[in-house]
Amino acid sequence: MARRKKVYEGKAKILYEGPEPGTLVQYFKDDATAFNAEKRDVIEGKGVLNNRLSEYFMTGLNAIGVPTHFLKRLNMREQLIRAVEIVPLEVIVRNYAAGTIAKRLGLEEGTALPRPIVEFCLKDDALGDPLVAEEHIMAFGWASQQDLDDMVAIALRVNDFLSGVMYGVGIRLADFKIEIGRVYENDFQRLILADEISPDSCRLWDIETGQKLDKDVFRRDLGNLTDAYTEVARRLGVLPSNATPITKPTLIN
Ligand code: TYD
């Protein structure tokens, strides 16, 4: 069998050439990094959990009309996706203060923000993904005004969906990061949700106890990361071990 071609390798995922033009295979690794890859480790099982969780969120978003790159899950660690041209911006939505906004504006972690705040960071590891303003984005041509409007609209729809899904299982969505890709259809281009949605790129807090169920467990050495992600997957009913159909008949007595 021919060895498939690796197209890109990032910190947590690998992209391989897909079976058809315009598709890619996205492989979820177990590697965890934080603080611009200064802290790194291999967390057994993380890739499997993130593959399942990202499938779950992307499928739900597709179902409510948010366009995504997700086509189908192939196996425990891989999913088939549409090839896109990634917009070089990280789009962050915040509902509660944490991380860099807490530091930057002197807010106590957990403070509810007046409304969801959308921020953009330039995707550039060497520069530490600096926060950029719309003015920079347009002046340097990273995205147009129309792109920005579309990115904010997608980000806010993802926020409403994810906040609701998480609230339903007793989890507060403090913030998250998404990436957006461009696809070309004839003479037109449009923007779709790309990359992944997983606890690697969200802040998730248990509503009752405040327990962190996201990558901060790794960043701040708060315990076992796989346990935290497994808890999220368990509450959402998407654990790999839950793969049996939920319609399976149950015998009573
Ligand atoms: P932020 O508080 O800006 O940075 P940090 O995670 O370094 O404290 O991050 C806000 C949210 O976006 C948080 O859930 C982590 C996520 N994020 C990423 O996943 N990758 C990134 O490169 C950035 C900048 C943020």
Side-chain angles (χ1 to χ4, degrees):
M1 213 165 84
R3 205 188 165 91
R4 61 188 172 170
K5 194 172 154 206
K6 192 191 279 186
V7 176
Y8 174 82
E9 176 156 5
K11 285 173 278 194
K13 295 183 297 289
I14 304 173
L15 296 178
Y16 295 98
E17 236 171 31
E20 287 162 39
T23 66
L24 293 170
V25 172
Q26 178 165 254
Y27 176 98
F28 287 77
K29 300 195 279 187
D30 279 343
D31 302 39
T33 62
F35 311 117
N36 212 359
E38 275 170 36
K39 181 178 166 95
R40 52 174 71 227
D41 204 350
V42 175
I43 313 280
E44 212 182 313
K46 180 174 82 78
V48 174
L49 285 158
N50 281 355
N51 186 26
R52 290 301 291 230
L53 285 164
S54 201
E55 171 195 20
Y56 179 77
F57 299 129
M58 294 276 182
T59 304
L61 285 162
N62 273 329
I64 63 161
V66 177
T68 84
H69 74 161
F70 179 83
L71 295 172
K72 68 171 180 180
R73 189 169 58 80
L74 297 170
N75 54 48
M76 296 279 275
R77 286 189 185 269
E78 294 178 331
Q79 46 185 244
L80 186 68
I81 57 169
R82 286 188 71 173
V84 301
E85 188 183 295
I86 290 284
V87 175
L89 297 167
E90 317 236 336
V91 185
I92 294 171
V93 183
R94 302 179 183 274
N95 300 305
Y96 294 85
T100 54
I101 199 175
K103 214 178 292 168
R104 203 183 321 124
L105 302 183
L107 299 169
E108 194 184 333
E109 181 169 275
T111 308
L113 299 172
R115 61 183 174 87
I117 294 176
V118 181
E119 294 178 346
F120 296 96
C121 292
L122 182 63
K123 261 176 74 70
D124 188 325
D125 283 342
L127 297 176
D129 297 337
L131 183 71
V132 289
E134 293 196 6
E135 185 74 1
H136 302 116
I137 296 172
M138 279 187 289
F140 290 105
W142 297 318
S144 65
Q145 182 64 61
Q146 180 65 54
D147 291 340
L148 278 174
D149 293 347
D150 291 349
M151 286 193 283
V152 169
I154 292 174
L156 292 176
R157 288 199 72 193
V158 174
N159 187 44
D160 283 347
F161 173 81
L162 271 187
S163 296
V165 167
M166 291 300 180
Y167 183 76
V169 295
I171 294 173
R172 177 160 290 150
L173 177 67
D175 62 32
F176 65 93
K177 181 264 307 188
I178 53 172
E179 295 188 22
I180 303 281
R182 266 179 228 289
V183 286
Y184 296 91
E185 284 152 6
N186 302 318
D187 287 345
F188 298 95
Q189 63 122 26
R190 65 190 181 102
L191 299 181
I192 67 176
L193 182 63
D195 191 48
E196 71 179 297
I197 298 184
S198 76
D200 268 6
S201 47
C202 300
R203 282 199 169 89
L204 305 170
W205 302 334
D206 181 85
I207 289 177
E208 293 282 311
T209 65
Q211 187 194 353
K212 294 186 196 311
L213 298 168
D214 55 59
K215 209 166 86 175
D216 273 347
V217 172
F218 171 72
R219 288 190 193 90
R220 303 180 190 181
D221 294 318
L222 299 176
N224 185 303
L225 192 71
T226 313
D227 288 352
Y229 288 20
T230 301
E231 176 61 12
V232 176
R234 189 192 63 77
R235 290 195 198 185
L236 294 169
V238 294
L239 263 188
S241 57
N242 280 4
T244 44
I246 47 173
T247 50
K248 202 170 131 195
T250 320
L251 289 178
I252 302 167
N253 293 325

